[in-house]
Amino acid sequence: MAKDKTIFTCNDCGGTSSKWAGKCPHCGAWNSMVESTLVPTGESKNRLSQTTYSGLTPTTALVALSDIEAADFDRTPTGLDELDRVLGGGMVEGGVVLIGGDPGIGKSTLLLQALDSLQRAGLKTLYVTGEESGAQVALRAKRLGINNSRVQVMAEIGLEKILSVLNHEQPNIAVIDSIQTMYSDQLTSAPGSVAQVRECAAHLTRMAKATGIGVVLVGHVTKEGALAGPRVLEHMVDTVLYFEGDTHSNFRLIRAIKNRFGAVNEIGVFAMTEKGLKGVSNPSAIFLSTHPEPVPGSCVMVTLEGTRPLLVEIQALVDGGGNSPRRLSVGLDRDRLAMLLAVLHRHAGVACADQDVFVNAVGGVRISEPAADLAVLLSITSSLRGKPLPKGFIAFGEVGLAGEVRPAPRGQERLKEAAKLGFSVAVVPKANMPKGAAKKEFEGLTIHGVERVEEAINLVRGLG
Ligand code: TYD
Ligand code: MG
């Protein structure tokens, strides 16, 4: 049998070369060549000729879309409700899930808990650990109170060995913790390199599809915030979940950013306890810090993550900066902050050009929706003036470059949640005002609709 040959492929143009080069010989991109294996195909009769396709015979039958039965996937609930919620109901046979997050956030803990629960439900489970020894995994299990678990554990990093065990054992669900520690003999590059990560994930994905084993790959997030390898894994797998949260706080969010079997942007909420992760079924108020009295620079907003509203406190600090003022945001988009400051200056006449501006979404949540704009602006003006917003105050709404306040999707749900949690004053986009007779009163919440940024700022000044 011919031996697999190592080639180098350019990540940018896809061109190949038999030798590694710092610069792609085809497109000239730097540092884009990665190692991959070329499996010899032998002398195929269907080999594409460069000059003619006429000798090709079709080997795959075609089916009309209408003749294919739309079967829903069988899902196996993991027994952890919050995880099932982001998975779209549970693990799918042959489905591949990538779960990413910072080190220490709780990926291994969550997956060990999930495997234990699946195993108790009668499924065959395998936990492959490349980072810890069996004894360390056992210690964690003890801490979780599941030390009598029948989950099979394998401490191994060689891809070929793992594939042969998977093929032989045929577990229902296998966890690979983590994909960055795995390596294939076929490549010379080090474990964790883009080539290795991609090769290992591709083999495991193929194995999952061929055998129906559900595979969960754990991936570390790099400093730039991407899963190792320039997003190479995300397109290969069926589901991508991200674990987020502040390791200093107990709460963790798990977010689906891609899901071929369910909705995206759904979140699951967990609390890290002494005995592992516990689902939080009613999470709307956990990201509020508890100030006994309102403080300047703080504004609560209602964000909608998937199907559930979450109340999150946005904090801002505006302070004398000098010649090169800094703009820093944690949990919010920095470019958007710069844009909002420009809108604030142009349309409301509030200038922070010579000040440092810091904004933070409390609790380590990341808010990507523009509905946070109004709360960001109001917390900035509050900090600038040193005056707190009124007690029980919330705001949400997108702000445009022309200074207009645009409606947020599903405003009624957001208002309902704020009312339920006892908030008393809301400033929201006019288009999000509840219709009908009970115009401005909504279960104890007084609602003000605004159309412009300056209107919102003046209104808040009048309230406080
Ligand atoms: P871990 O699952 O090892 O994180 P990851 O696999 O994402 O790197 O989680 C480790 C952290 O969680 C560690 O700091 C200890 C903490 N922890 C608890 O607080 N309670 C527990 O029951 C367990 C097992 C871990
Ligand atoms: Mg781990």
Side-chain angles (χ1 to χ4, degrees):
M1 201 184 94
K3 207 178 164 331
D4 290 0
K5 197 172 154 230
T6 299
I7 59 160
F8 296 87
T9 313
C10 173
N11 256 342
D12 284 359
C13 71
T16 56
S17 155
S18 58
K19 284 199 297 269
W20 186 82
K23 186 177 175 186
C24 170
H26 305 279
C27 68
W30 285 97
N31 291 329
S32 62
M33 303 298 288
V34 293
E35 190 185 8
S36 50
T37 50
L38 186 68
V39 182
T41 47
E43 281 309 307
S44 158
K45 280 204 198 88
N46 268 352
R47 193 168 212 153
L48 290 179
S49 146
Q50 295 203 326
T51 49
T52 171
Y53 299 114
S54 56
L56 300 179
T57 45
T59 50
T60 311
L62 301 182
V63 191
L65 184 54
S66 58
D67 294 339
I68 305 175
E69 201 184 328
D72 200 10
F73 305 97
D74 262 347
R75 290 158 209 275
T76 313
T78 60
L80 306 177
D81 292 348
E82 295 294 307
L83 180 60
D84 289 339
R85 175 191 287 273
V86 284
L87 285 172
M91 286 293 297
V92 173
E93 195 173 294
V96 183
V97 179
L98 173 67
I99 171 161
D102 292 330
I105 196 107
K107 302 180 291 297
S108 306
T109 305
L110 179 72
L111 292 171
L112 199 59
Q113 285 180 257
L115 284 188
D116 177 63
S117 144
L118 285 163
Q119 169 271 129
R120 281 171 210 275
L123 276 89
K124 196 164 169 186
T125 56
L126 176 67
Y127 181 78
V128 182
T129 168
E131 305 198 332
E132 293 160 314
S133 64
Q136 282 170 307
V137 177
L139 202 65
R140 174 178 292 124
K142 193 169 168 196
R143 186 165 174 192
L144 295 172
I146 54 172
N147 40 338
N148 60 353
S149 177
R150 303 301 310 155
V151 174
Q152 302 283 321
V153 178
M154 173 166 67
E156 181 56 64
I157 56 170
L159 176 74
E160 285 71 20
K161 287 189 198 137
I162 295 168
L163 290 175
S164 69
V165 170
L166 283 177
N167 196 34
H168 183 256
E169 295 286 324
Q170 296 280 333
N172 299 97
I173 313 281
V175 168
I176 311 293
D177 191 359
S178 67
I179 190 69
Q180 274 105 345
T181 53
M182 302 299 150
Y183 81 97
S184 162
D185 295 337
Q186 304 292 320
L187 300 181
T188 49
S189 42
S193 64
V194 175
Q196 284 284 9
V197 168
R198 181 158 68 182
E199 190 75 6
C200 293
H203 275 290
L204 288 162
T205 305
R206 235 172 287 149
M207 163 76 87
K209 301 295 164 204
T211 57
I213 301 174
V215 172
V216 182
L217 306 174
V218 175
H220 290 298
V221 172
T222 60
K223 271 196 237 88
E224 294 77 38
L227 284 175
R231 311 217 140 214
V232 281
L233 297 183
E234 291 185 1
H235 73 271
M236 266 185 225
V237 300
D238 300 309
T239 306
V240 180
L241 305 181
Y242 270 96
F243 230 127
E244 57 189 61
D246 191 344
T247 32
H248 307 295
S249 96
N250 287 339
F251 293 108
R252 306 280 186 269
L253 290 188
I254 200 166
R255 194 189 295 270
I257 61 161
K258 162 180 173 181
N259 197 351
R260 290 189 184 141
F261 308 124
V264 286
N265 269 330
E266 195 56 87
I267 57 162
V269 185
F270 290 94
M272 182 61 99
T273 69
E274 269 306 296
K275 288 194 156 245
L277 289 156
K278 295 249 155 34
V280 179
S281 53
N282 186 12
S284 57
I286 59 176
F287 294 107
L288 300 178
S289 54
T290 43
H291 308 293
E293 283 304 312
V295 293
S298 152
C299 181
V300 177
M301 74 159 298
V302 194
T303 175
L304 256 183
E305 300 287 355
T307 51
R308 8 156 72 165
L310 269 186
L311 279 93
V312 179
E313 179 181 339
I314 308 286
Q315 294 186 334
L317 180 66
V318 182
D319 200 26
N323 283 339
S324 50
R326 281 183 293 171
R327 274 90 185 82
L328 212 107
S329 65
V330 180
L332 294 147
D333 184 29
R334 198 163 71 160
D335 292 337
R336 194 140 190 114
L337 172 63
M339 186 199 100
L340 290 173
L341 289 173
V343 172
L344 192 64
H345 182 216
R346 170 60 74 89
H347 297 286
V350 179
C352 314
D354 54 352
Q355 312 253 12
D356 287 338
V357 179
F358 306 100
V359 294
N360 174 30
V362 170
V365 235
R366 255 168 245 160
I367 302 178
S368 49
E369 62 161 3
D373 293 351
L374 201 54
V376 171
L377 286 183
L378 291 177
S379 60
I380 290 171
T381 47
S382 158
S383 171
L384 196 61
R385 292 209 184 101
K387 272 197 75 182
L389 292 163
K391 203 170 176 149
F393 180 88
I394 66 131
F396 61 83
E398 178 179 348
V399 172
L401 285 178
E404 81 279 19
V405 177
R406 299 201 202 119
R410 292 160 49 207
Q412 307 296 301
E413 276 170 60
R414 297 179 200 244
L415 287 168
K416 231 184 227 161
E417 193 65 26
K420 199 172 98 191
L421 288 167
F423 282 79
S424 50
V425 196
V427 172
V428 302
K430 196 155 227 157
N432 283 135
M433 291 287 285
K435 310 257 173 328
K439 215 168 180 179
K440 286 190 168 176
E441 277 291 322
F442 189 70
E443 296 167 19
L445 182 68
T446 310
I447 306 164
H448 303 271
V450 292
E451 282 177 314
R452 310 263 328 146
V453 178
E454 55 274 29
E455 197 187 339
I457 289 171
N458 288 334
L459 193 132
V460 167
R461 196 181 287 166
L463 290 174

